[in-house]
Amino acid sequence: MTSAHAATAPDAPRTAAPGITDVLRARRLLQGRLDPTPLRSYPALDRRLGARVLVKHENLQPTGAFKVRGGLVLLSRMAEAERARGVVTYSTGNHAQSIAYAARATGAPCTVVVPEDPNPVKAEAVRALGADLVEAGSDLDRARVRAEALAAERGARLVSPGDEPDLIAGVATAYLELFTEAPDLDAVLVPVGGGSGAAGACIAAAALAPRCRVIGVQSEASPAAHDSWRAGACTARPDRTRAEGLATGRGFALPQSVLRDRLDDFVLVGDEDIRRAQWWAMSEAGTVAEGAGAAALAGARAVAERFPGGRIAVVCTGGNASPEELRRCTASD
Ligand SMILES: *Cc1c(COP(=O)(O)O)cnc(C)c1O
C-alpha cells in the first residue's frame, strides 16, 4: 500500500498526492484563465520519428510553458491572508515564470530565487511579470537554501518546484485535455525534471486512458528523477544538462510517490538528441521548443519502434529557448 510505504520511507512525501477529483477542480479553477492548448500532427515530423505523433503545444501558453497551469491553481487556492504575505520560490526558469504570472494574476507579492547566470529570456520574463528576482547560488539546491531563508524572514509561503499537490493537479489538466481529445493513445511521452508533469500525466491517464502508457524522458546529463524512479527512492545525481527544464539534482518525494506506482517506463536521452529534436520541432513543425520542450520528441524517436502503427503523443512543454540555444540548434543538421 502506498500509504503504509509512505509512512515508513525516509523520503516519504509530506503531503498526499492529488487524485482525479483534485484535477477536475483544478480544471474548473483554470476555466476563463487559460485556453486549452492545440494538439497537432505533422506528417514531416512523423517521417523523422518513424511514428504517428500528436504534439500537445504547451509551448503556446502565455508564459511559454505548461507550468503556468500549476502556478495558477496553487495561488488561486491560497487563503486571502496567506496570499497577502506573498510567495517565495526557486527555479531555473519556467516554474519561476509560472509563479510570477499567477502571483500577478491574484495580487500576491512574489520573490523568485534563481541560480546565478540564468537563461536571460526567462529572467527577463520573471522581472517583466513584476516579481522580485534574486540571483543566488551556483545551482538550484543552493538557490533553494536562499529561498527558504527569505520565506522565513518575510513570513511568506515557500513554494517548492516539486513537492506541491496543487502544482501536480494543475499541470495534470493538460492531460485531461489530451486524453479527452485523443482517447485512443498507445503512449504519451512526458519530459521530466522534478516530476510534477509526469505525475499529473499518470493521474489523468489512470482515470481517463488506462491503456495509454505514460513514459518519462530525462536527460542522461541530469538523471536524478530517472534514477530515483529506478531505485524506488529519492536519489541525488549530477546535474549537467543544458535543458534547464529537466535540470534537477535530486528526486522530489511527492511526484516520485506517484511515478513509483504508475509510470510505465522512463527513458534517458542525450543533450545532443534533444538539440536535434529542437531542430525537428522548428523545421518540421514550425514551432519553437526549448530543450526540455523537445525532450519528449527525442524520447519518441527512441521508443517509436515499440509502437508500430501506434499513436503516440508528445508534450511540447515549453518554448522559452535562449538566443544562444536557438543558434546552437540551427547551426547544423
Ligand atoms: C519544468 C519543465 C519540465 C519538467 O517538468 P517537471 O514537472 O518539473 O518534471 C519540462 N519541460 C519544461 C519546458 C519545463 O519547464
XYZ file of all heavy atoms in Angstrom, residues 4 19 44 52 81 91 115 139 180 209-210 213 217 224 233 245 270 303 307 328:
135
model
N 1.099 2.979 3.605
C 1.960 2.327 4.574
C 3.424 2.559 4.202
O 4.258 2.866 5.046
C 1.675 0.831 4.611
N -5.688 13.456 -6.430
C -6.410 12.459 -7.205
C -7.141 13.146 -8.352
O -7.050 14.366 -8.517
N 5.589 15.532 -41.753
C 7.053 15.551 -41.925
C 7.757 15.126 -40.638
O 8.784 14.442 -40.665
C 7.515 16.949 -42.347
N 3.480 7.838 -35.832
C 2.446 8.882 -35.888
C 2.390 9.569 -34.530
O 2.067 8.937 -33.524
C 1.092 8.256 -36.222
C 0.950 7.905 -37.698
C -0.486 7.577 -38.013
N -0.934 6.439 -37.199
C -2.216 6.168 -36.934
N -3.161 6.957 -37.384
N -2.534 5.114 -36.216
N -5.408 35.885 3.219
C -4.416 36.460 4.149
C -3.026 35.902 3.862
O -2.021 36.618 3.924
C -4.822 36.147 5.588
N 13.853 28.417 -8.836
C 13.598 27.769 -10.113
C 14.692 28.097 -11.099
O 15.362 29.124 -10.987
C 12.261 28.276 -10.651
O 12.093 27.947 -12.019
N 19.348 30.368 -9.738
C 20.797 30.199 -9.683
C 21.479 31.292 -10.516
O 20.882 31.810 -11.465
C 21.029 28.814 -10.303
C 19.708 28.117 -10.225
C 18.662 29.194 -10.304
N 23.762 26.516 -8.197
C 22.774 25.563 -8.712
C 21.455 25.697 -7.941
O 21.345 26.489 -6.995
C 23.306 24.120 -8.674
C 23.613 23.673 -7.255
O 23.045 24.242 -6.301
O 24.424 22.747 -7.092
N -8.959 13.676 -23.495
C -10.308 13.938 -23.985
C -10.298 14.059 -25.505
O -11.177 13.546 -26.192
C -10.852 15.248 -23.359
O -10.723 15.159 -21.945
C -12.309 15.464 -23.716
N -7.484 7.195 -19.452
C -6.864 6.449 -20.555
C -5.975 5.344 -19.994
O -4.765 5.338 -20.199
C -6.042 7.409 -21.426
N -6.595 4.388 -19.269
C -5.770 3.413 -18.549
C -4.884 2.542 -19.447
O -3.889 2.005 -18.971
C -6.801 2.560 -17.791
C -8.133 2.918 -18.347
C -8.026 4.253 -18.991
N 0.214 4.098 -22.239
C 1.449 4.051 -21.471
C 1.977 5.469 -21.236
O 2.003 6.275 -22.176
C 2.520 3.253 -22.235
C 2.903 1.945 -21.630
C 1.980 0.761 -21.913
N 1.521 0.582 -23.277
C 2.047 -0.249 -24.170
N 3.104 -0.960 -23.867
N 1.516 -0.380 -25.366
N 10.780 11.089 -19.783
C 12.025 11.321 -20.527
C 12.856 12.329 -19.743
O 12.361 13.398 -19.379
C 11.754 11.916 -21.932
C 13.065 12.034 -22.714
C 10.731 11.100 -22.707
N 18.514 12.501 -12.186
C 18.088 12.263 -10.792
C 16.674 11.674 -10.690
O 16.440 10.744 -9.919
C 18.167 13.551 -9.979
N 13.687 5.138 -4.637
C 13.992 6.047 -3.523
C 14.611 7.317 -4.086
O 15.348 7.259 -5.075
C 14.976 5.383 -2.555
N 14.847 23.009 -18.024
C 13.591 22.458 -17.505
C 13.736 21.031 -16.977
O 12.911 20.568 -16.192
N 20.220 11.851 -24.749
C 21.381 12.738 -24.624
C 21.003 14.180 -24.934
O 20.021 14.435 -25.638
N 11.667 5.470 -28.631
C 10.753 4.346 -28.338
C 9.815 4.024 -29.505
O 9.018 3.077 -29.395
C 9.901 4.598 -27.069
C 10.779 4.891 -25.862
C 8.868 5.708 -27.273
N 6.095 0.802 -30.843
C 4.673 1.025 -31.105
C 4.404 1.067 -32.605
O 3.978 2.092 -33.134
C 4.214 2.338 -30.456
C 4.465 2.402 -28.973
C 5.569 3.078 -28.468
C 3.608 1.768 -28.088
C 5.810 3.130 -27.102
C 3.836 1.815 -26.725
C 4.939 2.487 -26.223
N 22.421 27.509 -31.474
C 23.074 26.196 -31.412
C 22.276 25.156 -32.186
O 22.818 24.338 -32.905
C 23.211 25.786 -29.948
C 24.163 24.647 -29.715
C 24.532 24.519 -28.235
N 23.361 24.502 -27.377
C 23.195 25.251 -26.306
N 24.128 26.100 -25.926
N 22.092 25.167 -25.577
